[in-house]
Amino acid sequence: MTDTTIPTNTIRRLPRYYHYMQDLVDQGDKYVTSDQIANYFGIHPTQVRKDLAFTGLIGKPKVGHVLQEALESVRNFLGWDTNSKAFIVGAGNLGSAIIGYGGFDVTGVSIVAAFDTDPDKIGHVINGIEVFPMRKFTDMALKMGVKIGIITCAAEAAEAVANTMVVSGITAIWNFTPVKPYVPENVIMEQTELYSSLAILSRRIKELEGK
Amino acid sequence: MTDTTIPTNTIRRLPRYYHYMQDLVDQGDKYVTSDQIANYFGIHPTQVRKDLAFTGLIGKPKVGHVLQEALESVRNFLGWDTNSKAFIVGAGNLGSAIIGYGGFDVTGVSIVAAFDTDPDKIGHVINGIEVFPMRKFTDMALKMGVKIGIITCAAEAAEAVANTMVVSGITAIWNFTPVKPYVPENVIMEQTELYSSLAILSRRIKELEGK
């Protein structure tokens, strides 16, 4: 049963709680309360309780949550307990960075192949991941049952790449380009626009400096 | 005069408009209307008009905006017309990626030095940027008048790094770690949490698959 009533902001906050709870475990703690989490992140305890309730967790008054149970519950809720394969398109600086990052293991997402149209990049191996020609994308995605596509190519190519992803059975796209390609409603599109973040910084500096 | 009444979402949208308008220029166009921009991004024309008005742009009915003027106005508004120096802390995979990305030139932000505590990384040069020991951060930041700090170190070190940045005169921090360090109110903190984006994808896939 598809349940899309869970707020996106809840999903964004849960990895933060997860990370904090993992820190507590590393420090030897066994329990955590919603108040503790709320206090650490400077948000309202009711919000934390609501967020955790979505994962099926109900804390006990005073005691809170058993950390190991809470971690498992969040992992399970976020789908981090299942291994999801991802293809990345664009093996330039940003793409190579993401392939090389290796920090996504905890999320159960693993990049298994990269694609590019540039003959100079095809055939290269980045952090153990081979760069294939773009024309192999659909065939490989369908055969391997890949569901996640990451777009790190030039903005101009994003629309065409997204189209290829959709027809190749990709259901979730992580797009790093500033353009927002059209995708059918049942395909998830998550934008991470590095430019926009920088724009916030440079504009706010300008405001601070009173220009 | 400090003006912080400009909505963050406006600042996020402007780089998209900028990119789209630049594309139009490259195609040989001279004018753009708010309706055209609104249509391209699937948002309401009133929103586009409001966003552009913040930059001082008022379009002429039917004609719209002269593209070159609109581009300049947005650039100026976002602070992209001034060169801002940035220091990055953490020269691991993600940090190296961002240093090597080189796609931020349009925003006028240039990374001028990298810092790390790892002796194996110190002294290396990534895309022309030298990695210095962390203990040199404050001295160099004050001398060079650096205002932007980018945090790509391990989450555990983020709090200490943010503290160092604040005492070194940094007024805008771009944080890639999942922790949100405390900073004084007059310091801008922009979070780009790659984990959270992946969490959205993996959770929504789980929902789509009805698990």
Short mmCIF file of all heavy atoms in Angstrom, two decimals, chain B residues 172-193:
data_model
loop_
_atom_site.label_atom_id
_atom_site.label_comp_id
_atom_site.label_asym_id
_atom_site.label_seq_id
_atom_site.Cartn_x
_atom_site.Cartn_y
_atom_site.Cartn_z
N ALA B 172 29.41 33.64 6.64
CA ALA B 172 28.49 32.74 5.93
C ALA B 172 29.11 31.35 5.86
O ALA B 172 30.23 31.20 5.37
CB ALA B 172 28.19 33.26 4.54
N ILE B 173 28.38 30.36 6.36
CA ILE B 173 28.90 28.99 6.40
C ILE B 173 28.02 28.07 5.56
O ILE B 173 26.80 28.09 5.67
CB ILE B 173 28.95 28.46 7.86
CG1 ILE B 173 29.95 29.29 8.68
CG2 ILE B 173 29.31 26.98 7.89
CD1 ILE B 173 30.00 28.94 10.15
N TRP B 174 28.67 27.32 4.70
CA TRP B 174 27.97 26.32 3.90
C TRP B 174 28.35 24.95 4.47
O TRP B 174 29.47 24.51 4.32
CB TRP B 174 28.40 26.43 2.44
CG TRP B 174 27.54 25.66 1.49
CD1 TRP B 174 26.39 24.99 1.74
CD2 TRP B 174 27.79 25.49 0.09
NE1 TRP B 174 25.89 24.43 0.60
CE2 TRP B 174 26.73 24.71 -0.42
CE3 TRP B 174 28.79 25.91 -0.78
CZ2 TRP B 174 26.65 24.35 -1.76
CZ3 TRP B 174 28.72 25.55 -2.10
CH2 TRP B 174 27.66 24.79 -2.60
N ASN B 175 27.40 24.32 5.13
CA ASN B 175 27.67 23.11 5.89
C ASN B 175 27.13 21.86 5.20
O ASN B 175 25.93 21.75 4.98
CB ASN B 175 27.04 23.28 7.29
CG ASN B 175 27.22 22.06 8.15
OD1 ASN B 175 28.10 21.24 7.93
ND2 ASN B 175 26.37 21.94 9.17
N PHE B 176 28.02 20.93 4.89
CA PHE B 176 27.62 19.69 4.24
C PHE B 176 27.46 18.53 5.23
O PHE B 176 27.15 17.42 4.82
CB PHE B 176 28.65 19.28 3.17
CG PHE B 176 28.52 20.06 1.90
CD1 PHE B 176 29.07 21.32 1.78
CD2 PHE B 176 27.85 19.54 0.81
CE1 PHE B 176 28.96 22.05 0.60
CE2 PHE B 176 27.72 20.27 -0.38
CZ PHE B 176 28.28 21.52 -0.47
N THR B 177 27.69 18.78 6.52
CA THR B 177 27.57 17.69 7.49
C THR B 177 26.14 17.63 8.03
O THR B 177 25.42 18.62 7.98
CB THR B 177 28.54 17.87 8.68
OG1 THR B 177 28.04 18.91 9.54
CG2 THR B 177 29.94 18.22 8.21
N PRO B 178 25.74 16.48 8.57
CA PRO B 178 24.36 16.37 9.06
C PRO B 178 24.13 17.10 10.39
O PRO B 178 22.99 17.30 10.79
CB PRO B 178 24.14 14.86 9.23
CG PRO B 178 25.50 14.28 9.31
CD PRO B 178 26.44 15.18 8.59
N VAL B 179 25.18 17.48 11.09
CA VAL B 179 24.98 18.22 12.34
C VAL B 179 24.82 19.71 12.02
O VAL B 179 25.30 20.19 11.00
CB VAL B 179 26.14 18.03 13.34
CG1 VAL B 179 26.20 16.60 13.82
CG2 VAL B 179 27.45 18.48 12.76
N LYS B 180 24.09 20.39 12.89
CA LYS B 180 23.87 21.81 12.68
C LYS B 180 24.54 22.58 13.82
O LYS B 180 23.95 22.73 14.89
CB LYS B 180 22.36 22.09 12.65
CG LYS B 180 22.03 23.40 11.99
CD LYS B 180 20.54 23.53 11.70
CE LYS B 180 20.27 24.86 11.02
NZ LYS B 180 18.89 25.04 10.61
N PRO B 181 25.77 23.01 13.61
CA PRO B 181 26.50 23.64 14.70
C PRO B 181 25.83 24.95 15.12
O PRO B 181 25.19 25.61 14.30
CB PRO B 181 27.87 23.95 14.09
CG PRO B 181 27.94 23.20 12.81
CD PRO B 181 26.54 23.01 12.36
N TYR B 182 25.98 25.29 16.39
CA TYR B 182 25.47 26.57 16.87
C TYR B 182 26.36 27.69 16.32
O TYR B 182 27.58 27.62 16.39
CB TYR B 182 25.48 26.62 18.40
CG TYR B 182 25.28 28.04 18.88
CD1 TYR B 182 24.02 28.60 18.89
CD2 TYR B 182 26.38 28.83 19.24
CE1 TYR B 182 23.84 29.92 19.27
CE2 TYR B 182 26.20 30.14 19.63
CZ TYR B 182 24.93 30.69 19.63
OH TYR B 182 24.76 32.00 19.98
N VAL B 183 25.73 28.71 15.79
CA VAL B 183 26.47 29.92 15.39
C VAL B 183 25.66 31.14 15.84
O VAL B 183 24.44 31.05 15.97
CB VAL B 183 26.72 30.01 13.86
CG1 VAL B 183 27.72 28.96 13.41
CG2 VAL B 183 25.43 29.91 13.07
N PRO B 184 26.35 32.27 16.09
CA PRO B 184 25.60 33.48 16.47
C PRO B 184 24.62 33.86 15.37
O PRO B 184 24.79 33.48 14.20
CB PRO B 184 26.70 34.54 16.60
CG PRO B 184 27.99 33.80 16.70
CD PRO B 184 27.79 32.50 16.00
N GLU B 185 23.62 34.65 15.76
CA GLU B 185 22.52 34.99 14.84
C GLU B 185 22.98 35.72 13.58
O GLU B 185 22.34 35.62 12.54
CB GLU B 185 21.49 35.85 15.57
CG GLU B 185 20.26 35.05 15.95
CD GLU B 185 19.17 35.93 16.50
OE1 GLU B 185 19.08 37.10 16.11
OE2 GLU B 185 18.40 35.43 17.34
N ASN B 186 24.05 36.49 13.69
CA ASN B 186 24.49 37.27 12.54
C ASN B 186 25.35 36.46 11.56
O ASN B 186 25.87 36.99 10.58
CB ASN B 186 25.23 38.54 12.99
CG ASN B 186 26.45 38.20 13.81
OD1 ASN B 186 26.58 37.10 14.32
ND2 ASN B 186 27.37 39.15 13.93
N VAL B 187 25.53 35.18 11.85
CA VAL B 187 26.26 34.31 10.92
C VAL B 187 25.24 33.48 10.14
O VAL B 187 24.32 32.91 10.72
CB VAL B 187 27.26 33.40 11.66
CG1 VAL B 187 27.88 32.38 10.71
CG2 VAL B 187 28.34 34.22 12.34
N ILE B 188 25.39 33.45 8.83
CA ILE B 188 24.46 32.72 7.97
C ILE B 188 24.91 31.27 7.88
O ILE B 188 26.09 31.00 7.64
CB ILE B 188 24.46 33.32 6.55
CG1 ILE B 188 24.17 34.81 6.61
CG2 ILE B 188 23.48 32.57 5.66
CD1 ILE B 188 24.98 35.58 5.60
N MET B 189 23.95 30.34 8.07
CA MET B 189 24.29 28.93 7.95
C MET B 189 23.39 28.31 6.89
O MET B 189 22.17 28.34 7.00
CB MET B 189 24.06 28.25 9.30
CG MET B 189 24.24 26.76 9.31
SD MET B 189 25.96 26.22 9.30
CE MET B 189 26.40 26.53 11.01
N GLU B 190 24.00 27.77 5.85
CA GLU B 190 23.24 27.09 4.80
C GLU B 190 23.62 25.62 4.82
O GLU B 190 24.78 25.26 4.72
CB GLU B 190 23.56 27.74 3.45
CG GLU B 190 23.06 27.01 2.23
CD GLU B 190 21.54 27.12 2.02
OE1 GLU B 190 20.90 27.91 2.73
OE2 GLU B 190 21.02 26.40 1.17
N GLN B 191 22.60 24.77 4.99
CA GLN B 191 22.85 23.32 5.09
C GLN B 191 22.61 22.66 3.73
O GLN B 191 21.58 22.92 3.10
CB GLN B 191 21.88 22.68 6.08
CG GLN B 191 21.91 23.20 7.49
CD GLN B 191 22.86 22.39 8.38
OE1 GLN B 191 23.70 22.98 9.05
NE2 GLN B 191 22.77 21.08 8.36
N THR B 192 23.52 21.84 3.30
CA THR B 192 23.26 20.97 2.15
C THR B 192 23.52 19.55 2.62
O THR B 192 24.66 19.12 2.70
CB THR B 192 24.15 21.32 0.95
OG1 THR B 192 23.83 22.63 0.50
CG2 THR B 192 23.93 20.34 -0.21
N GLU B 193 22.45 18.88 3.00
CA GLU B 193 22.63 17.55 3.57
C GLU B 193 22.38 16.50 2.52
O GLU B 193 21.24 16.23 2.17
CB GLU B 193 21.69 17.36 4.74
CG GLU B 193 22.09 18.16 5.94
CD GLU B 193 20.99 18.13 6.97
OE1 GLU B 193 20.99 17.21 7.79
OE2 GLU B 193 20.13 19.02 6.93
#
